[in-house]
């Protein structure tokens, strides 16, 4: 099997994941700068309901930003892992169909086109092998019937001897 086609889906998924992580980091950085600016542009009073929370977040800004970014990255990674596992499950279901191939071709998502082609090729080969085996079995059975018939009914040449 072609190595480039083999790992194309995995490479594509990892590339998309790192691109998403990069853009979420940029967006999170912009959001953090806006939050920093908004927090410093306003005078907070001790009597306001969220004063203690905002005061602590302002004092520990880098910690809050790092934890928030890690949390967002965790969610992005989880989403891509879930997507990969769903594709793997789809692929396993299609592979199970090879145990009992039928005339209907295997259909997979567009991202798994290379795997779909390989599975359909294997399905067609299995169907052809089963057809050849059935034909060979039929020829064997026909030969046995023919020989049994010949053994039961001697030909006229035997009577002449």
């Amino acid at each position: 099997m072609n190595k480039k086609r083999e790992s194309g889906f995995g490479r594509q998924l990892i590339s998309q994941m790192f691109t998403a992580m990069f853009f979420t980091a940029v967006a999170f950085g912009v959001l953090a700068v806006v939050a920093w600016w908004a927090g410093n542009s306003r005078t907070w009073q001790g009597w306001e309901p969220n004063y203690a929370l905002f005061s602590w977040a302002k004092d520990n800004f880098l910690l809050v930003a790092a934890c928030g970014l890690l949390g967002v990255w965790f969610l992005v990674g989880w989403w891509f892992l879930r997507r990969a596992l769903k594709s793997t499950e789809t692929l396993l279901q299609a592979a199970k169909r090879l145990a009992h191939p039928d005339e209907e071709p295997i259909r997979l998502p567009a991202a798994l086109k290379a795997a779909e082609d390989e599975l359909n090729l294997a399905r067609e080969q299995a169907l052809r092998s089963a057809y050849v085996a059935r034909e060979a079995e039929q020829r064997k059975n026909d030969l046995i019937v023919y020989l049994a018939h010949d053994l039961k009914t001697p030909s006229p040449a035997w009577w002449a001897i």
Side-chain angles (χ1 to χ4, degrees), residues 58-155:
K58 184 179 173 187
D59 294 341
N60 298 301
F61 181 75
L62 289 177
L63 176 66
V64 171
C67 288
L69 182 61
L70 288 175
V72 170
W73 276 354
F74 174 78
L75 291 174
V76 168
W78 175 76
W79 185 80
F80 276 95
L81 179 63
R82 201 169 137 238
R83 187 172 153 199
L85 290 175
K86 191 183 293 185
S87 295
T88 303
E89 183 63 29
T90 303
L91 197 58
L92 287 173
Q93 292 299 323
K96 282 182 183 177
R97 285 187 50 201
L98 289 179
H100 305 287
D102 54 7
E103 293 298 321
E104 184 180 329
I106 294 171
R107 298 283 180 227
L108 295 176
L112 297 172
K113 179 68 174 139
E116 178 184 310
D117 293 342
E118 294 294 328
L119 287 171
N120 279 322
L121 180 65
R123 181 188 60 80
E124 289 170 10
Q125 289 173 343
L127 287 173
R128 267 184 270 153
S129 296
Y131 177 75
V132 167
R134 276 194 306 272
E135 284 217 341
E137 181 72 20
Q138 185 61 44
R139 281 193 307 268
K140 179 194 77 155
N141 290 341
D142 291 346
L143 179 64
I144 290 172
V145 167
Y146 177 73
L147 290 174
H149 175 71
D150 275 359
L151 289 174
K152 286 181 187 176
T153 57
S155 68

